[in-house]
Amino acid sequence: MPMDHRSATARFIILSLTLSMICTVSAFSHDAGQPRLEVFTRDNTPWVAEDAVGLRYTGPLDMKLAQDLAQLFDSNTMPIRHVVLELDSEGGELSTVAAIIRTLKSLGKDVELTTRVMGGATCGSGCIAVFMQGQKRKASGASVWVFHGACSAGSNVPSLSATQSYLDLLEESGVKTDFTCKLVQEGYVTRPGAWIISGHELFHIHDANIITELIPAWQPEEPFGLHLTEPR
């Protein structure tokens, strides 16, 4: 029978840790660049439907993303029914993640939200909770997923209370309890370090209810350019 992650986390950490509560859910980062939000609508991208918006976010999650999302949809005069949010992020502070989730939940009352992580992109830590807000959650098998505990500023040692808040956030968003218990039992969120797996593993091996659809590895394209003749 799986051990409850609350008791497992407490048993592992509470004897030795007294940490400040300035906690983050930062993860392994493959890109230390500035955060960037790109917006695709019919105005700038002809193949986007009139009632849809495409968003691509790259970089650490910050409060500006929550503000930009709210402003984008508050100022839009056209009816929006479909939103695709593409993520490539190592995560961010718990308070920031919670603010972004509140914005997306409010948005989700009126639109169909699809979240996705493409091949070679990373979704780590707090990004996973944001990804979970999609009704449809698509990811490439070659995407990178990073799980670890939440730490106080200046430390890589997981904080008991912050990590528990993060696990609760995942479960509230639909991640299966058996999976969060596994994160605790294996020490992936109770010890310094990170558990890094592929989208293929997350979808096919771990019953987490995180990815709902795996994006095919083969992406066909229409031929263009120079066509060489076959050698005789």
Side-chain angles (χ1 to χ4, degrees), residues 114-190:
T114 298
T115 50
R116 70 183 186 188
V117 181
M118 305 302 289
T122 293
C123 190
S125 197
C127 173
I128 300 167
V130 172
F131 176 81
M132 287 297 299
Q133 303 314 304
Q135 289 98 341
K136 297 179 180 178
R137 303 185 293 277
K138 304 180 181 182
S140 165
S143 56
V144 180
W145 298 78
V146 185
F147 299 86
H148 65 82
C151 305
S152 64
S155 172
N156 69 343
V157 182
S159 158
L160 169 62
S161 58
T163 297
Q164 185 59 62
S165 295
Y166 173 59
L167 295 175
D168 289 343
L169 194 60
L170 289 181
E171 292 185 10
E172 290 166 6
S173 300
V175 177
K176 290 188 176 181
T177 302
D178 285 349
F179 182 77
T180 59
C181 286
K182 174 184 175 64
L183 296 178
V184 172
Q185 292 166 351
E186 299 294 335
Y188 297 141
V189 294
T190 59

Side-chain angles (χ1 to χ4, degrees), residues 52-70:
V53 173
L55 305 171
R56 179 184 295 136
Y57 186 79
T58 307
L61 299 173
D62 61 13
M63 198 61 74
K64 188 175 184 299
L65 175 58
Q67 297 166 351
D68 286 347
L69 288 173

Side-chain angles (χ1 to χ4, degrees), residues 31 33-36 57-62 88-91:
D31 182 3
Q34 292 297 313
R36 181 183 181 189
Y57 186 79
T58 307
L61 299 173
D62 61 13
D88 186 3
S89 174
E90 65 268 29

